Each structure stands twice: as structure tokens, then as C-alpha cells.
């Protein structure tokens, strides 16, 4: 069994954490991950208000008795989100693990800790991870440049970022960005991490609420089939290459304003694309790891495969390389 500091901290069987994907990380997927021994994470801002989030947390509890987490992505202050209501709902529902992302969770740490919650903060740079440790977070996720969604602005890949962060912190580090199989899990452990965090790989499972035509299209894509948007605005996002995404990238290159781009890249359009199966309706976050994904398994099957592959690599191939 692969027991690490993160499995001990979170009370999970395997050091495998599901990414908090907007629109996708709902009760069905989250509970499937937790039932399979990983950590499922529900995404707060998928739901339009705290009442609906609370209802979804209750739904997760009807589907699994294992640990799960709830994500709160703290967006720029100009974004009109009532975070106090969302966080109050998470606390009142008795959630024991929270994942924060975006801005620093420092204003809410006291409330989380008073409720006996474990706090994991997702970061894109060593300096942000150090700040998270200093304010009392229990663990961090460090997101390499390969990741889908928001990779930060430093363009440092997981192979460099994971060992740097692991060496700089005392709290456990979970590696994200480019992980999708047992080889990646072994690599992350070798680099000093205590587990892996996967979004795109979980997106490509039977339980993920993504239209089958999107999944089938992604099966035929490779590691070059993503592109970066919003670089000019220092809010970079890695998305699936599509006619719409390429059109938005060309507009950005030509000097379009964020107001001009918004109608193409709005989050609600991405949600509709995932549900309707129309890749040209909205942009869809996908990581470069899509090049390593060749099937659409059930969550339980996939986690078992990853763990077995990792254990086999450690016990046979790597062990056999050491000559005493």
C-alpha cells in the first residue's frame, strides 16, 4: 500500500486527489473518487448560491461515507461572489477538508481552523506555497505549467516546481500538472511530493458529467492540442484547442480587450459546451497530459490501475535497478 503523509493527513486510502474542475466536480464524480480510495473535491462556484452548494454537499454524503473536500476558488476582488455565504455553508455542513485556490485564504483560515478543518491551498509558485504554510495551511497543491486551467505566470514545469516546493516546505505537498498514470505518481513521490492531483484524467472517466462527444474528441488529441489564452492579461488559462479557442487567441494577439474576448470565453459558454458536446460553443480547460490518456474508464478502475502500476514500478523495475 502506498501510504504517505497526505493519506494519513486526509484519512484516504491512496495518495490520489481529484481536481476541482468547474462544472464537472459534482456529487457523482466526487463520491466515485472518494469511494475508490482517493479524495474527491466538490467545486463551490459551480453552484450559483450557498444554498445549492449545501444541497450538493448533502448529496455527496448520501453517496459516500469516505472523506471528501470542497473547493473555494477566491477570485479577484472585483468578482461579485459572496464568499462568506459559501464558506458558512461549507462549515455548517461539517465538511472536514477544504481546498482553496486563487487569492490567499488568510482571511478565512481562522474560521476553517475553528471548525476543525484541514486546509489545502493550491499554488503555482514556491513563494505562494511558502505563504500558505506560514498562515497555517495543512498542505499545498503545487501546479506545474503543464496543467489545464490556470498555470500561473512563471511557466515552471512540474519536474522543477515539485522538488523545489517539497524542499522548501515542512507541510505535505501534492503535485499537480501533467499527472495521469502510475508512472506520474512514482515520479511525484520521487520528487518529494506526497501524492498527485489530477483534473484532465478524471475528466476522462465515465462518471465525469461531460458529454461523450467531448470525451471522444479528447481521446484523439495529443499533448500539442492545448493552447494558452489571456497571457496578455496575466491571467493565463490552458484550454483545449478548438476553432473557438484559436479564434480567441488570434483576437488576443491582435490586441483585443478583455471585454471583446469575454463573449467568446465566458465560463457559462464553457459549461454549455461540456453539457451539449459542442467544442466550438465555449472554451474547455484541458492539460497537456491529454497526450497520455487513451481510454475512458470508470473512476474505480482507473485509480486501481494507477496504484497498481505505481507499486509495480517501485517493487520491480526500480528495485531491480539497485545493485548492492
Amino acid at each position: 500500500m502506498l501510504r504517505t503523509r497526505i493519506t494519513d493527513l486526509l484519512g484516504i486510502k491512496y495518495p490520489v486527489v481529484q481536481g476541482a474542475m468547474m462544472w464537472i466536480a459534482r456529487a457523482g464524480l466526487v463520491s466515485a473518487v472518494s469511494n475508490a480510495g482517493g479524495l474527491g473535491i466538490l467545486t463551490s462556484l459551480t453552484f450559483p448560491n450557498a444554498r445549492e452548494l449545501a444541497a450538493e454537499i448533502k448529496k455527496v454524503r448520501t453517496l459516500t461515507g469516505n472523506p471528501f473536500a470542497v473547493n473555494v476558488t477566491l477570485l479577484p476582488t472585483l468578482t461579485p461572489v459572496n464568499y462568506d455565504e459559501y464558506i458558512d455553508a461549507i462549515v455548517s455542513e461539517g465538511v472536514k477538508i477544504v481546498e482553496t485556490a486563487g487569492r490567499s485564504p488568510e482571511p478565512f483560515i481562522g474560521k476553517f481552523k475553528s471548525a476543525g478543518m484541514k486546509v489545502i491551498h493550491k499554488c503555482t509558485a514556491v513563494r505562494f506555497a511558502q505563504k500558505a504554510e506560514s498562515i497555517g495551511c495543512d498542505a499545498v497543491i503545487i501546479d506545474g505549467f503543464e496543467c489545464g486551467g490556470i498555470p500561473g505566470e512563471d511557466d515552471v514545469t512540474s519536474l522543477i516546481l515539485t522538488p523545489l516546493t517539497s524542499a522548501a516546505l515542512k507541510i505535505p505537498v501534492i503535485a499537480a500538472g501533467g499527472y495521469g498514470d502510475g508512472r506520474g505518481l512514482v515520479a511525484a513521490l520521487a520528487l518529494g511530493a506526497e501524492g498527485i492531483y489530477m483534473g484532465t484524467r478524471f475528466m476522462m472517466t465515465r462518471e465525469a458529467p461531460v458529454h461523450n462527444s467531448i470525451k471522444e474528441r479528447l481521446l484523439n488529441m495529443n499533448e500539442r492540442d492545448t493552447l494558452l489564452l489571456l497571457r496578455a492579461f496575466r491571467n493565463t488559462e490552458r484550454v483545449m484547442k478548438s476553432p473557438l479557442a484559436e479564434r480567441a487567441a488570434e483576437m488576443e494577439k491582435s490586441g483585443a480587450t478583455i471585454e471583446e474576448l469575454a463573449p467568446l470565453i465566458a465560463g457559462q459558454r464553457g459549461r454549455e459546451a461540456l453539457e451539449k458536446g459542442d467544442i466550438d460553443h465555449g472554451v474547455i480547460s484541458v492539460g497537456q497530459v491529454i497526450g497520455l490518456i487513451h481510454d475512458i474508464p470508470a473512476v474505480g478502475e482507473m485509480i486501481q490501475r494507477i496504484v497498481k502500476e505505481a507499486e509495480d514500478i517501485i517493487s520491480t523495475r526500480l528495485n531491480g535497478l539497485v545493485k548492492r
Side-chain angles (χ1 to χ4, degrees), residues 136-157:
C137 291
D138 298 283
V140 298
I141 296 157
I142 192 69
D143 226 350
F145 184 57
E146 305 94 324
C147 73
I150 309 299
E153 304 303 320
D154 292 347
D155 299 0
V156 181
T157 65

Side-chain angles (χ1 to χ4, degrees), residues 93-324:
E93 287 298 324
V95 173
K96 293 304 178 186
I97 307 167
V98 64
E99 179 210 59
T100 56
R103 291 187 290 114
S104 171
E106 189 168 8
F108 306 105
I109 286 286
K111 184 174 286 189
F112 293 142
K113 291 295 185 176
S114 295
M117 300 171 72
K118 302 297 184 187
V119 182
I120 308 169
H121 188 58
K122 184 161 59 179
C123 312
T124 58
V126 178
R127 61 191 181 279
F128 303 146
Q130 291 173 313
K131 173 66 175 178
E133 181 178 54
S134 73
I135 63 174
C137 291
D138 298 283
V140 298
I141 296 157
I142 192 69
D143 226 350
F145 184 57
E146 305 94 324
C147 73
I150 309 299
E153 304 303 320
D154 292 347
D155 299 0
V156 181
T157 65
S158 292
L159 190 61
I160 306 303
L161 201 51
T162 302
L164 283 175
T165 307
S166 301
L169 271 60
K170 293 183 175 63
I171 59 175
V173 173
I174 302 166
Y179 298 98
D181 57 26
R183 295 170 298 179
L185 176 53
V186 173
L189 297 175
L191 294 171
E194 305 287 342
I196 54 172
Y197 180 98
M198 305 185 298
T200 303
R201 176 66 271 196
F202 278 114
M203 177 183 177
M204 295 289 283
T205 60
R206 292 179 206 160
E207 291 89 341
V210 175
H211 198 284
N212 282 338
S213 68
I214 299 289
K215 293 178 184 177
E216 292 296 334
R217 181 67 176 265
L218 285 167
L219 275 183
N220 294 313
M221 291 188 165
N222 61 45
E223 70 280 4
R224 300 186 305 279
D225 288 324
T226 71
L227 57 81
L228 299 172
L229 294 178
L230 304 182
R231 299 237 83 181
F233 307 97
R234 294 192 61 78
N235 190 28
T236 302
E237 182 176 6
R238 185 180 297 282
V239 303
M240 170 185 181
K241 195 177 286 185
S242 70
L244 176 69
E246 290 178 311
R247 189 156 69 249
E250 282 301 315
M251 287 176 61
E252 182 179 345
K253 186 177 178 181
S254 299
T257 65
I258 193 68
E259 290 77 16
E260 291 170 327
L261 288 169
L264 294 182
I265 63 174
Q268 194 60 40
R269 286 190 62 156
R271 177 180 189 168
E272 292 169 1
L274 290 168
E275 292 174 351
K276 296 177 179 178
D278 182 358
I279 66 162
D280 206 31
H281 185 78
V283 296
I284 298 170
S285 294
V286 173
Q288 290 179 323
V289 73
I290 194 62
L292 296 177
I293 297 173
H294 308 297
D295 64 352
I296 307 170
V299 163
E301 174 191 340
M302 186 193 74
I303 290 179
Q304 287 295 323
R305 180 201 306 168
I306 288 173
V307 172
K308 184 179 186 305
E309 182 182 16
E311 290 175 340
D312 287 347
I313 291 170
I314 293 168
S315 64
T316 57
R317 182 173 184 274
L318 295 186
N319 189 52
L321 292 176
V322 178
K323 306 299 181 185
R324 301 204 181 272

